[in-house]
Amino acid sequence: MTSRAARRWTRVVGYTLMAAAGVAAMAWPAPSVRAATNPVTTLAYVWAALLVVGGMSSAIGAAADRWLGEYAGLWPLIATFAVYAIAGAATGRATTVAGSCALGSIAFLLLARWRDIAQIRREAARYHAEHEGR
Amino acid sequence: MDGRVLTTIIGLLLGGGGVAFLTTFIRGWSTIRSGAYAREREASDRLGRQLEELEDQLAVRTRDRDYWRNVAMRYSGQLVRAAIEPIPAEPVAPSERAS
């Protein structure tokens, strides 16, 4: 396996795990998110659904080497990890600080990845406009 | 933090995430529909090809530049041997003039 393929499949595994987390969260909602969204309990399931949608979109895109999957799927993931971090921090317990920081950092790392993908999209559009879209 | 404020913030974040998913999907899909390449691999491959083309062009231009420089030096030597002063007598390259 080339290094490029290894990097791609590493991302596939990561995104698939995020989608799996969303499926699990639908069956067993995260206590911190459920508490933070109380009494609008639907939001906890919306959170889980976005995790599934974003994870699946990004995993399929990475597996098929199509930038569209991550380009669209990363934003739901960024939002869900940001929510997870805020929900943890909102508990007010010192024991959740580490977890909230870790989850928040994942949101920012995913945002950095989205900016790379957005650059690819801009380049694809620019290249097509210059060479073929006359 | 007040529970309602927290719920509102979370609702806005989740709503924003959902809206962003739809808008980025539509934007990306329309980019691909217009004919732009869809594979991430093509971006790095294209940059590699572009770099190779630029390096080839640079090699050609460097060879031409060196050739014309040699021609100019030969002409200068011929003029001096014929007791003709070349004009300009001491040429200065544009880049050196600018600095």
Side-chain angles (χ1 to χ4, degrees), chain A residues 72-99:
Chain A
L74 279 169
W75 273 112
L77 292 177
I78 292 167
T80 51
F81 275 93
V83 165
Y84 209 169
I86 291 172
T91 61
R93 294 196 297 267
T95 50
T96 61
V97 170

Side-chain angles (χ1 to χ4, degrees), chain A residues 19-114:
Chain A
V23 172
M26 283 193 179
W28 307 286
S32 57
V33 176
R34 194 163 50 178
T37 56
N38 192 38
V40 187
T41 54
T42 310
L43 283 179
Y45 293 100
V46 170
W47 173 80
L50 282 180
L51 206 48
V52 174
V53 168
M56 290 300 298
S57 173
S58 300
I60 292 171
D65 192 26
R66 296 286 194 276
W67 53 260
L68 178 60
E70 285 181 270
Y71 185 65
L74 279 169
W75 273 112
L77 292 177
I78 292 167
T80 51
F81 275 93
V83 165
Y84 209 169
I86 291 172
T91 61
R93 294 196 297 267
T95 50
T96 61
V97 170
S100 293
C101 288
L103 292 165
S105 71
I106 293 173
F108 278 97
L109 289 172
L110 292 174
L111 178 60
R113 173 61 186 164
W114 183 85

Side-chain angles (χ1 to χ4, degrees), chain B residues 73-84:
Chain B
M73 282 171 53
R74 269 190 240 135
Y75 283 175
S76 176
Q78 291 166 18
L79 289 170
V80 167
R81 280 196 294 276
I84 300 172

Side-chain angles (χ1 to χ4, degrees), chain B residues 3-93:
Chain B
R4 283 174 300 179
V5 172
L6 181 60
T7 306
T8 303
I9 291 172
I10 289 175
L12 287 173
L13 277 172
L14 293 177
V19 168
F21 172 76
L22 290 172
T23 54
T24 50
F25 183 83
I26 291 169
R27 189 186 307 152
W29 182 252
S30 64
T31 300
I32 292 171
R33 281 289 303 270
S34 69
Y37 55 78
R39 289 177 174 270
E40 189 178 331
R41 182 190 314 155
E42 291 183 41
S44 57
D45 287 350
R46 187 183 59 74
L47 285 171
R49 281 197 304 272
Q50 209 167 20
L51 187 61
E52 284 176 7
E53 285 174 15
L54 288 172
E55 285 176 350
D56 289 344
Q57 287 175 15
L58 180 63
V60 167
R61 289 180 187 178
T62 302
R63 277 198 304 273
D64 281 356
R65 181 204 64 194
D66 292 344
Y67 170 75
W68 288 115
R69 179 186 292 167
N70 288 335
V71 166
M73 282 171 53
R74 269 190 240 135
Y75 283 175
S76 176
Q78 291 166 18
L79 289 170
V80 167
R81 280 196 294 276
I84 300 172
E85 186 177 353
I87 300 171
E90 295 177 1
V92 178

